[in-house]
Amino acid sequence: DVDAVSLLRREILASPRPVTLIPTAPLTNIALLLRTHPEVTGNIERIVFMGGAVGAGNATAVAEFNVWHDPEAAAVLLTAGVPITMYGLDVFRRVIVPAEDVRRLRESTEPGANLAGRLLAHRDPVTSEENPAGGLGDAGAVCSVADPAGLTTHRLPVEVNLAPGPARGQTVVDRRPRPGEAELHGEAREQPLVDVALDIEVERYVKLYLSTVENAGAFGV
């Protein structure tokens, strides 16, 4: 009965405990929420967003799609004053559901598991109809909130490139062990610190996802 931003505001403020947001798409609505209703930050525990990349991008050579689609929104998110975790392409691409598990889900008579199997079969990397391994995708970010011990993060300065050109939308992650020439010559800018995902326990999250999907029917989900 309301727009997305109003819905987010209503539910966050009504929550009896601080909320963790897990945006898995371009961040336009989240940025609008934070700019229009900054009072919500008082009841946001943290934001774990699927987006960005330390290494190569996918929308461009250096930019990940969700951030590239609305870089200004991502910049607003990073400077919102709440704890941020970046679940980027560096870990996103690694969580692959093996072909035998995808096949088992596709053969399930439980509708939810069957749907999950068919969707996974169409997620990168798709190999063949006979060997349909599939990427877990955005669900990995949700797994990392449910079971944070499987994700290795480093707290690093991150900024979004907003300039026109081939680097627009790049999440520039500063992994240098010491200050560089820019800092020595007084040209450094203050950058927000973000918990950047750099490593992941693939099998752990695959098992978590599969057990959740395959048991969902037992709970009427």
Side-chain angles (χ1 to χ4, degrees):
D1 59 339
V2 294
D3 62 90
V5 174
S6 298
L7 175 65
L8 284 164
R9 177 185 180 276
R10 183 179 74 191
E11 296 303 315
I12 291 169
L13 293 180
S15 175
R17 62 180 184 177
V19 171
T20 294
L21 296 178
I22 318 174
T24 59
L27 295 157
T28 308
N29 281 339
I30 303 300
L32 285 170
L33 171 73
L34 296 170
R35 280 290 177 87
T36 309
H37 306 292
E39 67 274 14
V40 299
T41 60
N43 208 31
I44 295 177
E45 181 176 8
R46 63 186 179 124
I47 299 175
V48 179
F49 78 100
M50 190 284 114
V54 177
N58 57 359
T60 72
V62 295
E64 178 274 334
F65 173 80
N66 287 341
V67 174
W68 173 82
H69 189 81
D70 192 343
E72 284 77 14
V76 169
L77 172 73
L78 295 185
T79 57
V82 299
I84 303 290
T85 297
M86 186 176 96
Y87 184 96
L89 291 179
D90 314 277
V91 291
F92 176 94
R93 289 171 165 149
R94 292 180 53 191
V95 189
I96 307 300
V97 180
E100 58 268 26
D101 294 312
V102 175
R103 190 176 298 110
R104 186 179 70 254
L105 291 174
R106 294 177 74 184
E107 294 172 353
S108 173
T109 58
E110 200 286 309
N114 180 271
L115 175 61
R118 288 186 286 128
L119 291 172
L120 283 168
H122 289 278
R123 294 296 302 271
D124 290 337
V126 176
T127 50
S128 68
E129 182 66 23
E130 294 74 30
N131 190 35
L136 191 61
D138 295 336
V142 182
C143 288
S144 76
V145 173
D147 182 14
L151 192 69
T152 299
T153 64
H154 289 193
R155 195 160 178 77
L156 298 167
V158 180
E159 65 177 320
V160 182
N161 190 328
L162 303 178
R168 177 171 167 80
Q170 179 185 17
T171 44
V172 182
V173 180
D174 189 351
R175 300 183 67 184
R176 295 174 298 171
R178 61 183 63 87
E181 290 298 311
E183 287 78 13
L184 294 176
H185 291 284
E187 297 180 6
R189 298 187 306 278
E190 185 176 352
Q191 300 170 2
L193 293 175
V194 175
D195 292 315
V196 179
L198 297 177
D199 200 6
I200 193 167
E201 295 184 35
V202 173
E203 186 176 352
R204 180 178 184 141
Y205 284 168
V206 169
K207 286 182 177 179
L208 172 60
Y209 174 81
L210 290 172
S211 64
T212 302
V213 169
E214 293 183 289
N215 291 326
F219 299 99
V221 178

